Amino acid sequence: MQHKAYVTDLDGTLLNSEQKLTPYTVQVITDAMNRGIVISFATARGYISAAGVVADISWKYPLILYNGALIYDSVRHKVIDGYWLDSGTSGEIISIGRSHGITPFHFSLDEADCERVMHEPPTRSGDVEFYNSRLNDERFREVEQLECPAGHRTVVMSYIGRLEELEPLHQEVLERFGSAVHIHFMKDIYIQDHYFLEFSHPDANKHQGLKLWAQLMGLDTEDIVVFGDHLNDLGLFAAAGTRVAVENAQEELKAMAQHIAASNNDDGVALFFANLYTRER
């Protein structure tokens, strides 16, 4: 079957371990899109964060952001569709976190669809490291006491900490909201011995994000090839017709894959496309 679209994860998949695109990857992906191949990405990052690491490629098609919570038009810089939590639920989760001595980075859209990241002064080591890695990110706004502003739509609330710090919060929110909130709990690949605990709309995941993206593109998910490395790509793999794991991927993801590409540090995704050209000749 002729595949109609390709969607890749960024961190650990298209990006190397330094969170960068190699010149080879930029060239191959750009050439592929110039040949008319539909390529996009699905990432846990927001648009500004993603653009900061993949701007060397001129992306032509809608992007899947915030782990599937947001579909974004990077050409017209416009939110197309997505899933977000209401302010009441968001405020209650912030209060539960505060009772455990932790506050999140609150990623939201304001009334003008601008990305905002509200947070209290970072003092815990994981928060400080995360914040320092984004010092020039214009989305970030420090507040004395975090609340969900009226009119803002919560895309995701991200708590950063050690496993034993986050697990009690995880359990309390799970007991309070159950399936009414999507919970994403994973080891961070950049901050040593730290985890991300994220809360979002129940449909804000890469599985539903890919389905919504396909619908907006007029495609069947069976015609989409996806690339990934981490557990947050499990939903992406479950929704797609063809699944490609990079060599450095988690074993659970590799078990779902039909193909294993070279690692992210060896231009695995780009080599897949280069080999695709060879097979078509």
Side-chain angles (χ1 to χ4, degrees), residues 13 25 36 51 54 61 68 82 114 127 137 153 160 172 180 208 244 246:
T13 304
T25 288
V54 297
Y61 304 101
C114 294
D127 291 343
D137 193 323
R153 291 152 291 166
I160 304 168
E172 186 167 348
Q208 295 299 329
V244 183
V246 286

Side-chain angles (χ1 to χ4, degrees), residues 213-248:
W213 183 87
Q215 179 183 334
L216 292 166
M217 293 289 293
L219 297 171
D220 190 313
T221 53
E222 282 296 314
D223 295 332
I224 301 174
V225 180
V226 296
F227 304 83
D229 75 299
H230 215 291
L231 297 182
N232 68 329
D233 296 318
L234 287 171
L236 194 69
F237 272 38
T242 302
R243 304 172 292 277
V244 183
V246 286
E247 181 58 44
N248 54 290

Side-chain angles (χ1 to χ4, degrees), residues 76-118:
R76 296 183 295 164
H77 299 284
K78 180 180 178 181
V79 174
I80 300 174
D81 209 339
Y83 306 103
W84 26 78
L85 288 175
D86 62 86
S87 59
T89 300
S90 304
E92 190 168 347
I93 292 174
I94 291 171
S95 295
I96 293 171
R98 198 183 306 281
S99 72
H100 289 274
I102 312 173
T103 55
F105 288 90
H106 180 237
F107 293 78
S108 67
L109 298 173
D110 67 15
E111 297 89 337
D113 279 349
C114 294
E115 294 179 87
R116 295 285 180 256
V117 185
M118 313 293 284

Side-chain angles (χ1 to χ4, degrees), residues 177-193:
F177 291 101
S179 61
V181 170
H182 176 68
I183 301 175
H184 182 65
F185 200 1
M186 63 177 279
K187 197 173 193 306
D188 185 67
I189 64 175
Y190 298 120
I191 306 175
Q192 187 174 5
D193 299 324

Side-chain angles (χ1 to χ4, degrees), residues 52-69:
V53 291
V54 297
D56 288 340
I57 297 174
S58 296
W59 301 93
K60 301 179 180 181
Y61 304 101
L63 311 173
I64 305 170
L65 305 176
Y66 290 110
N67 271 329

Side-chain angles (χ1 to χ4, degrees), residues 23 62 110 121 150 199 218 252:
D110 67 15
F199 302 106
E252 190 173 347

